[in-house]
Amino acid sequence: DSGVTQTPKHLITATGQRVTLRCSPRSGDLSVYWYQQSLDQGLQFLIQYYNGEERAKGNILERFSAQQFPDLHSELNLSSLELGDSALYFCASSPRSGRSYNSPLHFGNGTRLTVT
Amino acid sequence: ELKVEQNPLFLSMQEGKNYTIYCNYSTTSDRLYWYRQDPGKSLESLFVLLSNGAVKQEGRLMASLDTKARLSTLHITAAVHDLSATYFCAAATPGFFGNEKLTFGTGTRLTIIP
């Protein structure tokens, strides 16, 4: 168990809808990362937050947004969903930036999103 | 833009044999990671390699890093069935503080045949 908690585990929704994925990082970790894993694109970095602030952005669509709250949990919001958004969405966390240089990312179990 | 390539993509090997997975990255990176993923599961960290010539070993797995060649290898010794999984390497974009923007390879799906 990595200590990173993601909910829900599975989500089935229709095209055009909006969903929210939730992530609680490991205790003490300030950084949260979101990744998308699909068969055709592999593992893609979406976005990173550190202590509530956006720190880095990757291949995140404009229909997607994220935030990190004061209690350090994070939410990834996906709107106007398309069939191609079906994927496994992972959250990962790492320690305080100053000590995270040689620390791996610890991944949650993911949320499997199916858009029908 | 940092690109990471792994090969082979698929690997079937017999128990007891040795093999190597290769990970090439396109631009300078100061950190290289190896992860394991079982089907439908999360990613488990295996190794973090920080410097040229770094070598780390855990059980039947050994990872190394050659920053000059921009190459990391994951060597499997005397494979056993439990090692069947998909293995990913990931390189960190230099200049970013912390672990930001890890670029993952395509993964190598390893199947160990009894």
Side-chain angles (χ1 to χ4, degrees), chain A residues 2 33 35 37 39 43 45 48 55-58 88 90 94 97-98 100-109 112, chain B residues 1 30-31 33 35 37 40-45 47-48 50 88 96-106 109:
Chain A
S2 67
Y33 310 75
Y35 281 82
Q37 185 177 35
L39 284 176
L43 266 162
F45 168 74
Q48 184 222 353
R55 180 61 65 90
K57 218 168 189 176
L88 193 51
F90 283 110
S94 71
S97 281
S100 67
Y101 186 79
N102 60 348
S103 297
L105 299 188
H106 295 274
F107 283 78
N109 289 330
R112 182 169 295 281
Chain B
E1 181 186 346
D30 54 0
R31 281 159 287 147
Y33 300 82
Y35 283 87
Q37 185 180 34
K41 302 294 185 182
S42 184
L43 285 88
E44 173 192 355
S45 174
F47 301 108
V48 180
L50 299 177
F88 291 93
F96 278 82
F97 192 46
N99 291 29
E100 295 90 326
K101 299 192 77 168
L102 283 191
T103 300
F104 280 81
T106 50
R109 184 175 293 181

Side-chain angles (χ1 to χ4, degrees), chain A residues 19-108:
Chain A
V19 296
T20 298
L21 313 183
R22 184 188 167 100
C23 168
S24 293
R26 292 189 323 161
S27 177
D29 284 359
L30 297 181
S31 282
V32 169
Y33 310 75
W34 287 98
Y35 281 82
Q36 179 193 59
Q37 185 177 35
S38 60
L39 284 176
D40 55 342
Q41 296 291 324
L43 266 162
Q44 298 281 320
F45 168 74
L46 296 178
I47 198 163
Q48 184 222 353
Y49 280 82
Y50 172 73
N51 203 20
E53 293 186 0
E54 181 183 304
R55 180 61 65 90
K57 218 168 189 176
N59 300 321
I60 187 166
L61 300 172
E62 285 191 10
R63 301 183 285 108
F64 296 0
S65 65
Q67 55 184 329
Q68 187 179 26
F69 295 86
D71 66 352
L72 301 178
H73 90 271
S74 177
E75 292 181 355
L76 179 67
N77 300 296
L78 315 177
S79 61
S80 303
L81 286 167
E82 302 175 359
L83 295 178
D85 297 328
S86 295
L88 193 51
Y89 291 84
F90 283 110
C91 169
S93 72
S94 71
R96 300 170 185 268
S97 281
R99 287 159 43 191
S100 67
Y101 186 79
N102 60 348
S103 297
L105 299 188
H106 295 274
F107 283 78

Side-chain angles (χ1 to χ4, degrees), chain B residues 8-66:
Chain B
L9 295 183
F10 299 94
L11 178 56
S12 289
M13 50 190 293
Q14 287 186 317
E15 278 190 329
K17 299 292 187 183
N18 304 334
Y19 210 81
T20 301
I21 299 171
Y22 297 89
C23 173
N24 289 92
Y25 51 98
S26 60
T27 64
T28 302
S29 177
D30 54 0
R31 281 159 287 147
L32 197 292
Y33 300 82
W34 283 96
Y35 283 87
R36 167 185 171 142
Q37 185 180 34
D38 292 303
K41 302 294 185 182
S42 184
L43 285 88
E44 173 192 355
S45 174
L46 297 174
F47 301 108
V48 180
L49 303 168
L50 299 177
S51 59
N52 188 43
V55 177
K56 291 197 173 179
Q57 182 163 6
E58 181 73 34
R60 301 174 188 275
L61 301 178
M62 184 175 70
S64 66
L65 179 62
D66 181 344

